[in-house]
Amino acid sequence: MPGRSPQGAERTAAARSGPENRSAPEETPRRAPGPTEATPPPAEATSTEPAKPAAAEPAQPSQPAKPAKPAKPAKPAAGERRGHRRALLLTLALVAVLLLLALVSAGTGAYRIPTADVLASAQHRLGLGGAPLDRVGESVLWNVRLPRVVLALLVGASLGCAGALMQGVFGNPLAEPGVIGISAGAAVGAVAAIGLGLGFLGNWTITACAFVAGLVTVSAVYLLSRNGGKTEVVTLILTGIAVNAFAGALIGLFVFFADSGQVNQITFWQLGSLAQATWPKVLAVLPCAVAGLLVAPFYARRLDLLSLGERPARHLGIDVERLRLALILVVALLTAAAVAVAGVITFIGLLVPHLLRMANGPGHRFLVPGSALAGAVVLVAGDLAARTLAQPAELPLGVLTALIGSPFFFWLLRRTRRKQGGWA
């Protein structure tokens, strides 16, 4: 019994003190939601002052509206809209200039055709009305002028797009399709066909040999620069330089053993020209050019990520090696087809992307298709100048582009060095 009495006493004490102890913890949570425990008088909690916190509470949700200042991304959005608008305006301007140059080039020459007659003949051929020209005018326009204009458009677009892709792949503003030996390899194929007197494909022999040799040269450069399953930019460039030197030696060897007629033909082909443009040559270039120009813009976003550097691009999920291989193949397809039908034409792939970067920035979504349009504009204008500046003679197109392009590139180099201290 004495051992039970303390327990009973504890139970009775707990039963007596239970309501009091329960009320105390119940009251404290009820008072706790009040202003604070530091405010002792309950009258203040029931006074009109709680209405002020209630009025202040709607003011606090307005403060999260201040974090709406992260709506400052709206300014970059406005900048992006301005960039898209500028890119659209530049695209429309390039298309308009290209159409105008094509019309002028189609009507200009030894046999002059007014622009209205060119349009009328085109409408007649398309069944949209108009009227045909006389027999000589129709023959000159559709068998001589228009094939040359279309071929200049395709070759210029191919070289411009290839230059933008090469500069994006190598991350170097001095890169162009000739860096990895495409142009030199195609030249070796054409010179070999001329020097050896090959004719197994008739008039297509030189074109086919140049195209195949260009692709083989690119493959050789890529395989020689590959080590451990990877290719480095520096290794690709140095291998391309070595292959260019070897190709130059082969060309010199073929010229040494060729006769005078073959030497003249080799020299004329190396200078670059569209004088032999025909519809069959246009159809030969068309599949390669269209395929390359359609595929290239799909790599624009990955080129933007690659411009951050190889390591950041890999962290962002870009397979750099696969991307580089795919773009080199696209560049080889575009350049080999262009060089095969037009000879070696320089500075288009080097200058055109620089001009567009100055106009709209380095984003490849506009730069890749814009370089194709601008390259077409430059080469159509260059071919028009080559045909008309020294009439009745015709200047080599490759010589003219080099004469105009090299001083312009030197000015561009000086301008960039003066403004930002170099190309970095």
Side-chain angles (χ1 to χ4, degrees):
M1 292 299 293
R4 292 179 182 177
S5 60
Q7 295 177 355
E10 288 175 1
R11 290 176 182 174
T12 55
R16 292 176 183 177
S17 62
E20 297 175 357
N21 294 331
R22 290 176 188 173
S23 61
E26 288 177 359
E27 288 177 0
T28 51
R30 289 178 185 175
R31 292 178 183 178
T36 52
E37 292 181 356
T39 57
E44 292 179 359
T46 57
S47 64
T48 58
E49 289 181 353
K52 293 181 181 178
E57 288 176 0
Q60 290 177 354
S62 65
Q63 293 177 354
K66 291 181 180 177
K69 286 184 178 178
K72 284 184 177 179
K75 290 183 178 179
E80 289 180 3
R81 285 196 297 270
R82 285 195 297 270
H84 291 320
R85 191 179 301 115
R86 191 187 309 117
L88 179 61
L89 292 175
L90 283 172
T91 302
L92 294 176
L94 288 172
V95 170
V97 172
L98 181 60
L99 291 176
L100 180 62
L101 281 173
L103 287 174
V104 173
S105 181
T108 304
Y111 187 90
R112 189 165 188 83
I113 304 173
T115 303
D117 292 344
V118 173
L119 292 173
S121 179
Q123 289 175 356
H124 177 73
R125 290 291 182 108
L126 296 174
L128 301 176
L133 303 174
D134 55 37
R135 188 165 58 89
V136 177
E138 285 284 306
S139 178
V140 169
L141 178 62
W142 291 96
N143 297 328
V144 178
R145 300 273 176 78
L146 286 181
R148 186 162 183 164
V149 171
V150 175
L151 192 62
L153 189 152
L154 291 175
V155 171
S158 299
L159 293 177
C161 182
L165 293 178
M166 285 292 295
Q167 293 176 11
V169 168
F170 287 97
N172 190 332
L174 297 178
E176 64 163 351
V179 168
I180 55 176
I182 305 174
S183 301
V188 168
V191 170
I194 296 171
L196 298 176
L198 302 179
F200 55 90
L201 292 178
N203 294 331
W204 291 94
T205 304
I206 297 175
T207 301
C209 289
F211 181 75
V212 172
L215 294 181
V216 169
T217 304
V218 173
S219 303
V221 169
Y222 183 78
L223 292 176
L224 290 173
S225 60
R226 190 174 176 83
N227 186 19
K230 294 182 180 180
T231 55
E232 296 180 353
V233 172
V234 176
T235 308
L236 272 172
I237 294 176
L238 294 177
T239 306
I241 292 173
V243 169
N244 278 327
F246 183 72
L250 288 179
I251 291 172
L253 194 63
F254 282 117
V255 170
F256 179 78
F257 287 107
D259 57 30
S260 58
Q262 292 172 340
V263 169
N264 291 334
Q265 189 176 359
I266 289 171
T267 304
F268 183 76
W269 189 89
Q270 284 185 300
L271 295 177
S273 176
L274 298 175
Q276 305 298 323
T278 57
W279 286 118
K281 285 191 175 183
V282 171
L283 294 177
V285 178
L286 188 63
C288 299
V290 170
L293 293 174
L294 289 179
V295 169
F298 290 101
Y299 291 96
R301 180 179 173 276
R302 278 171 276 186
L303 282 173
D304 287 337
L305 296 178
L306 185 60
S307 65
L308 301 175
E310 289 190 18
R311 189 170 296 175
R314 287 193 179 96
H315 287 308
L316 293 171
I318 301 299
D319 189 345
V320 176
E321 189 65 25
R322 188 174 180 179
L323 174 64
R324 186 172 291 148
L325 176 61
L327 289 179
I328 287 176
L329 290 177
V330 173
V331 169
L333 189 68
L334 291 170
T335 308
V339 173
V341 296
V344 180
I345 298 176
T346 57
F347 279 97
I348 300 294
L350 184 63
L351 285 181
V352 166
H354 281 300
L355 292 175
L356 293 184
R357 284 192 192 93
M358 291 169 59
N360 195 61
H364 286 87
R365 292 185 181 182
F366 169 75
L367 186 64
V368 172
S371 295
L373 276 175
V377 169
V378 170
L379 202 61
V380 171
D383 183 59
L384 177 61
R387 290 192 291 113
T388 56
L389 288 179
Q391 285 184 337
E394 180 177 326
L395 293 175
L397 185 56
V399 173
L400 186 63
T401 57
L403 283 174
I404 298 174
S406 51
F408 182 81
F409 185 73
F410 180 73
W411 169 81
L412 189 65
L413 176 65
R414 297 282 295 180
R415 180 181 181 273
T416 306
R417 187 181 182 86
R418 185 174 62 253
K419 282 197 168 185
Q420 61 187 40
W423 292 105

